[in-house]
Every structure is written in C-alpha cells, then in structure tokens.
Amino acid sequence: MSVTVINYDQDMSRWEPDARGRLEQAALELYSERGFEQTTVVEIAARAGLTERTFFRHFADKREVLFGGAPALQELMVGAVADAPDSIAPIVAVTAALEAAGAVFQDRRESVRRRQTVIAANAELQERELIKLASLASALASALRRRGVSDPAASLTAEAGIAVFKIAFERWTTDTDQRDLSQVIRQSLDELKAVTAAT
Amino acid sequence: MSVTVINYDQDMSRWEPDARGRLEQAALELYSERGFEQTTVVEIAARAGLTERTFFRHFADKREVLFGGAPALQELMVGAVADAPDSIAPIVAVTAALEAAGAVFQDRRESVRRRQTVIAANAELQERELIKLASLASALASALRRRGVSDPAASLTAEAGIAVFKIAFERWTTDTDQRDLSQVIRQSLDELKAVTAAT
C-alpha cells in the first residue's frame, strides 16, 4: 500500500512538484487558522495552488490529509522490529521502532505540533488517531510474532510500546523545553518499567 | 451520568421489569443470529416484547445497546482506584480496578463472549470499543492524579493497565479453558512486568 503511494508520488512529481506535501501543508495551515470543520477541499487545493481533482488523486477526503503518513510510518516501525538483531529482547526491538518513528517526527516538530493541536480540537479526528495507533500496535505484535515471540508477550510488548509512544508523543508536542522525542521516548519507557515494577 | 441511568432504570422497572436488560439480551441474540448490520431496532424491541419507543427511552441507537454498561464500568473502576489504601503503589490501585471489572464480567461470561464476537465482526463497533477503552484510560489517569500521582506516571500506569485489560479480556473471551478473568488479568500484568523489564 505505502509502496504504491510512494511510486505514485514520484510519478506525480514530474507534473506537480510535491503536490502531496503542498496539499498537506496547505490543509494544516487552514485547519489551524479556521478549524478542521470550517475548511473545504476546494480551499485546501486553492491554497496549495492545485486543483480539487489533484487533491482527490492524493487523498480520499480532508480527514485523510492528516493521516496520509500512517502507512509509511507503520512500514518504518515494522521494518525496525524486523531488522533488529535476533538476540535482543522484544521490548528493545519495539524501542528501536519507536526511536525510528521519533527521528522522523523530530525533523518536523512544528508541523507535528500543529497537527496535534488540530486533532485535539476534534473528536472525530481523535478517534481516527486512536484507530491508527491500535492498527500500529497490531502490526508491531505481528512483527514480533514473526521474530518468534509468542503471545501474550508479543501483544503485551506491542501495546506497551504504543502506550509509551502515545504518552511520549503528547509530552513532546506540548513541552516547552527542547528535548528530543527519542529522549522523551526512552524516559517514558524507563518510567513504564518503574511503575509496572512497583508493588 | 451513570447514577442518572441507574435511577431511571429503577423508575422504569415499575412498568416494564428490567426493560433495559431485556433489550440488551434481545439485541445480543439478534446480532449473533443475523449480524449487527442486518438487525433493526424494531426487531430488537419485538424480541424483547417491548416497543420501539421503549427502546429509545433506554438507548440512543442500536450501537449503544452494546456499550450501555460503559459508564457504570468506568465508575466502578474509578471508584476502586479512589478507594485503594493510600500506601499502595499506583499500579496496584489500577490492578484493583481491573479486578473489580473482571469480577463483573466473570459473572456474565457467556453474554460477554457473545458481545465480543459481535464487535470483532464489525469495524465500526471495534472503533467504538477502542474509544471507550481510551476514555477509561483517561478516567483512570485522572483518578490516579487525584491520589497525588504525578504525570507521566499517572498516564503511563493507566495506559499500561488498560493494555493489560484489553489483552487479558481478549484471551479470556477466546480461551477454551475455564480460568477466571481475574486470574488472566494478574498473569497478564506479571507478563507485562517481565517484558518491560527485559533488556
């Protein structure tokens, strides 16, 4: 799926350089300025200097503009679990996946923060985000099973990883200090270990 | 919210004994027999020997019949966290909440299993379930903060608890052996400790 999208983008870019990226940027600006509900596809396309038809070549609807990166993110994280050395523990493989994702977000801090603000203001978008996170947990659990990790360890490790990611991500997008997301992820994981070990 | 619902039920029961429970039972039977999408509110009311009007006095729509217990469950779990002795660790307080919920489900094993089968067959219902779980995690985190637990420990403990609950619940509804849900919850929590502690 994401491979198709990537090829398609490369193909499109001969005609409309980075149409997809321009649409994402325009949508985020408009959602921030006037709210998700008040923004139309026509307005997004106009802001990007593209047509409505081009918008629909890239995205099914205005909600999907915010989640267009999910398949590539999932592929990146599943790949990190698959590529981790055989000898390492499942949670360490999942941590590698979280840090790979963290590096991608770190490079786009401002737009990631703006996206989170848009999502936090809309219940329907929050639900969509939850579904994407659940799908990611499920994909990571499958990747662990392919490494020979049995259940429930595979599912628990994946769910724990996504819980850490969710909380680290929220902290990083709202924190005023300039810590790296990877650093917040590692701290959150250490804190998860501490809270679960307490008796 | 759930208090209102409970009072309302008691009031209704003077006229239609356990109308709410009968509607839930009828809906679950029909969803199992012919599928969620193929069942109408009229059919549910007829199966329960009640009117459509009575249905809508208790539930907003046919989806909500499956989630009508969520506010009471949340209240039960939040109450368990609040009532836990001051001296115990946050994860132990959350475990008490999970076990309180487990005891409720344990007594309704067959209908709980049937409900899970209905939900697993429908993407929209799965999304609704995810949203309810996220809301539960958020309520547990708030209950921990009221106990003086600071963030991110409060959020991480709550998310870890819900991850354990989700997986224990799935195992318990699909397992062929007759273990108690509380037992599966405690095992899953121990496994979470083991997987997060591995390095």
Side-chain angles (χ1 to χ4, degrees):
Chain A
M1 175 77 183
S2 60
V3 171
T4 310
V5 170
I6 290 162
N7 289 342
Y8 187 58
D9 269 3
Q10 287 170 341
D11 191 48
M12 292 303 302
S13 69
R14 287 180 220 151
W15 313 102
E16 292 155 346
D18 192 26
R20 193 178 172 87
R22 281 158 60 193
L23 288 164
E24 283 171 344
Q25 173 71 20
L28 210 48
E29 283 173 17
L30 289 165
Y31 297 163
S32 297
E33 288 165 22
R34 60 184 78 167
F36 173 75
E37 274 140 45
Q38 286 72 45
T39 302
T40 67
V41 166
V42 171
E43 290 166 336
I44 297 168
R47 172 76 62 105
L50 297 164
T51 64
E52 196 180 351
R53 202 173 150 219
T54 300
F55 179 95
F56 286 115
R57 253 189 243 130
H58 290 278
F59 302 103
D61 55 39
K62 68 174 185 168
R63 194 175 65 165
E64 277 308 305
V65 190
L66 291 165
F67 299 97
L73 180 69
Q74 185 161 314
E75 191 176 74
L76 175 76
M77 294 176 78
V78 164
V81 169
D83 293 345
D86 283 349
S87 59
I88 68 173
I91 192 70
V92 181
V94 167
T95 305
L98 302 184
E99 292 192 350
V104 171
F105 290 124
Q106 186 65 41
D107 291 341
R108 303 178 193 168
R109 189 169 187 137
E110 277 321 303
S111 69
V112 169
R113 285 184 169 189
R114 205 187 288 183
R115 176 180 174 279
Q116 282 313 103
T117 306
V118 171
I119 289 174
N122 183 292
E124 186 202 347
L125 296 175
Q126 286 171 50
E127 294 180 5
R128 189 88 198 141
E129 182 89 322
L130 282 177
I131 293 154
K132 296 285 181 186
L133 285 172
S135 157
L136 204 48
S138 179
L140 290 178
S142 297
L144 288 172
R145 283 190 284 269
R146 285 194 294 275
R147 286 174 66 87
V149 182
S150 57
D151 263 320
S155 302
L156 279 166
T157 308
E159 291 283 346
I162 292 301
V164 161
F165 188 70
K166 188 180 165 191
I167 285 162
F169 194 76
E170 279 168 12
R171 289 167 78 187
W172 176 74
T173 50
T174 53
D175 271 6
T176 46
D177 62 23
Q178 293 294 311
R179 285 184 302 168
D180 274 6
L181 178 53
S182 293
Q183 195 186 342
V184 183
I185 288 169
R186 282 192 300 271
Q187 283 178 355
S188 300
L189 184 63
D190 285 343
E191 280 154 353
L192 177 69
K193 286 182 197 184
V195 297
T196 53
T199 48
Chain B
M1 173 78 182
S2 60
V3 171
T4 311
V5 170
I6 290 163
N7 289 342
Y8 188 58
D9 270 4
Q10 287 169 340
D11 192 48
M12 293 301 303
S13 69
R14 286 180 220 153
W15 313 101
E16 291 154 346
D18 194 25
R20 192 178 172 89
R22 282 157 62 194
L23 288 164
E24 284 172 342
Q25 174 70 21
L28 210 47
E29 283 173 18
L30 289 164
Y31 297 163
S32 296
E33 287 164 24
R34 59 186 76 167
F36 174 76
E37 274 141 44
Q38 287 72 45
T39 302
T40 67
V41 166
V42 172
E43 290 166 336
I44 296 167
R47 173 76 63 105
L50 296 165
T51 63
E52 195 181 350
R53 201 173 150 219
T54 301
F55 180 95
F56 287 115
R57 252 188 245 131
H58 289 278
F59 302 103
D61 55 41
K62 67 173 185 168
R63 193 175 67 165
E64 278 307 306
V65 190
L66 291 165
F67 299 97
L73 181 70
Q74 185 162 314
E75 191 175 75
L76 176 77
M77 293 175 78
V78 165
V81 169
D83 293 345
D86 284 349
S87 59
I88 68 174
I91 192 71
V92 181
V94 167
T95 305
L98 302 184
E99 293 192 351
V104 171
F105 290 123
Q106 186 64 40
D107 290 341
R108 304 179 192 167
R109 189 170 186 136
E110 277 322 302
S111 70
V112 169
R113 284 185 170 188
R114 205 187 287 185
R115 176 181 175 280
Q116 282 312 104
T117 307
V118 171
I119 289 174
N122 182 290
E124 187 202 347
L125 296 175
Q126 286 171 50
E127 295 180 3
R128 190 88 198 140
E129 183 89 322
L130 282 176
I131 293 154
K132 296 284 182 187
L133 285 172
S135 156
L136 206 47
S138 179
L140 291 178
S142 296
L144 288 172
R145 282 190 285 268
R146 284 194 294 274
R147 286 173 65 86
V149 181
S150 57
D151 262 320
S155 303
L156 280 165
T157 307
E159 291 284 346
I162 292 300
V164 161
F165 188 70
K166 188 181 166 191
I167 285 163
F169 194 76
E170 279 168 12
R171 290 167 76 186
W172 177 73
T173 51
T174 53
D175 271 6
T176 48
D177 62 23
Q178 293 293 312
R179 285 183 304 167
D180 275 6
L181 178 52
S182 292
Q183 197 185 342
V184 184
I185 288 169
R186 281 191 301 271
Q187 284 179 354
S188 300
L189 185 64
D190 286 343
E191 280 154 353
L192 177 69
K193 286 181 195 182
V195 298
T196 53
T199 48

